Amino acid sequence: MKWRDLPPLAGIRAFAAFVQTGGVAEAGAALGVSHAAVSQQLKALEKHLGVALLDRSGRALSLTDEGRHLADAALEGFAKMADATAHITGANDARPLHLSVTPSFAASWLMPRLPDFRAQHPEINILVDPSADLVPVSPDGVDVAIRYGTGPWPGLYNEIWMECPMVIVASPDLIKGHTIRQPSDLKEAPWLEEFGRSEGTTWLKKHGVASGITGSFIQVPGNLMLDGARDGQGVIVTVECFVERDLQAGRLVKLFEEDRDGAGYHIVTHSGVPRPPLKAFVHWLRRTLRKETDALSKR
């Protein structure tokens, strides 16, 4: 690395703060300096590099292509430094462990098992964000996301944790007397779907079912979708792991199963050094799944 060729750290710091906060005044407030000082740092940085990082032709400043390229690297670099500093000083240890999961995963897998984690780690406070949105994972925000798919998620560390295909299920009473050979045969059936983007919406679109449904279509919170299916209120798309006991007991019937193409739930974290609460949670996820898998194999 040619240290003398690197731009002034103060300029890079001001630039990163501007990008993250979205404005010169906001960056100044975040850094504890005036907005004029931030403007001077930005201009000095551009002069040092010999390129325009900001487009000043509009009413608001925006990034040029060169600015966007530098912004990605600067934000990632400062985030890693902040994470490393917090890790070695212990400053981040008291912050709640922030989890991002889909409502279905929270209701069907996480919440019933979370007391076990709390019993093992009563010192760790937890913030569960049951959102269908793919929220950013970062050292100072969401610690870990449990995402369904095949991955990868660029710029993040991810590992396949639970391989499990998508299935389409319904109660036996709901489909009684109906011949169902392909997904399109379910167009006239009542459907239940989770609010927002979920594991099931991708399947519905992929098989052309979403746009062709003529039966009733009700969106419900993830924790109510399975209850509604068991009561015969509609057909649902879900992950097989969530309904294994219902299928074995005959409360639900499997109508279709997605190909086992390696899709499943992934543990997604930032690529920096994980803080102790995150390490403990990931270790618990792996151990819990392993114990349950071993128990099922011995039946």
Side-chain angles (χ1 to χ4, degrees), residues 15-16 19 33 41 44 48 89 95 98 104 137 141 164-165 171-172 176 186 207 238-239 248 253 256 279:
F15 177 67
V19 174
V33 299
Q41 291 286 1
H48 177 89
T89 61
R95 183 169 66 85
H98 195 161
S104 287
V137 177
C164 203
S171 73
K176 190 175 183 179
L186 294 169
H207 292 272
T238 187
V239 181
Q248 293 172 0
V253 177
F256 299 101
K279 291 177 65 175

Side-chain angles (χ1 to χ4, degrees), residues 21-278:
T21 61
V24 173
E26 292 83 356
L31 294 172
V33 299
S34 68
H35 70 277
V38 173
S39 295
Q40 290 175 358
Q41 291 286 1
L42 294 177
K43 290 177 181 178
L45 179 61
E46 289 178 310
K47 183 178 180 180
H48 177 89
L49 296 174
V51 298
L53 301 175
L54 302 172
D55 183 353
R56 296 175 172 83
S57 61
R59 297 183 60 183
L61 295 177
S62 62
L63 294 176
T64 62
D65 290 340
E66 293 80 4
R68 279 189 288 271
H69 185 69
L70 180 61
D72 291 340
L75 289 174
E76 181 180 357
F78 278 115
K80 287 184 176 180
M81 284 191 287
D83 186 41
T85 302
H87 177 74
I88 62 177
T89 61
N92 244 354
D93 293 352
R95 183 169 66 85
L97 182 67
H98 195 161
L99 316 177
S100 174
V101 296
T102 62
S104 287
F105 181 85
S108 301
W109 197 93
L110 180 62
M111 296 310 296
R113 295 165 176 81
L114 203 53
D116 177 62
F117 178 78
R118 295 299 307 279
Q120 296 180 39
H121 300 279
E123 76 285 1
I124 298 178
N125 294 320
I126 301 173
L127 174 60
V128 179
D129 179 13
S131 171
D133 298 327
L134 293 180
V135 298
V137 177
S138 64
D140 58 352
V142 171
D143 291 289
V144 57
I146 307 299
R147 295 180 178 172
Y148 188 86
T150 56
W153 287 269
L156 298 172
Y157 170 79
N158 62 89
E159 66 172 87
I160 182 67
W161 169 62
M162 179 195 295
E163 288 193 36
C164 203
M166 302 298 296
V167 292
I168 293 76
V169 299
S171 73
D173 291 337
L174 182 66
I175 61 171
K176 190 175 183 179
H178 296 276
T179 301
I180 301 172
R181 297 190 178 91
Q182 54 190 1
S184 59
D185 292 331
L186 294 169
K187 291 190 297 185
E188 297 180 0
W191 282 83
L192 296 174
E193 188 186 24
E194 185 177 335
F195 280 130
R197 184 182 181 277
S198 68
E199 296 90 332
T201 52
T202 302
W203 188 94
L204 290 171
K205 292 178 180 178
K206 178 180 178 180
H207 292 272
V209 180
S211 60
I213 292 177
T214 59
S216 62
F217 198 93
I218 303 175
Q219 289 190 319
V220 297
N223 61 323
L224 299 180
M225 189 174 69
L226 283 176
D227 289 339
R230 295 179 186 116
D231 292 340
Q233 297 181 33
V235 180
I236 66 169
V237 182
T238 187
V239 181
E240 187 176 34
C241 305
F242 294 167
V243 293
E244 286 178 336
R245 293 180 180 177
D246 293 293
L247 294 173
Q248 293 172 0
R251 291 186 292 268
L252 295 173
V253 177
K254 185 192 304 184
L255 305 176
F256 299 101
E257 178 179 328
E258 186 71 298
D259 294 335
R260 293 180 179 268
D261 56 358
Y265 282 100
H266 292 244
I267 299 172
V268 182
T269 65
H270 59 83
S271 56
V273 179
R275 59 196 184 100
L278 174 57

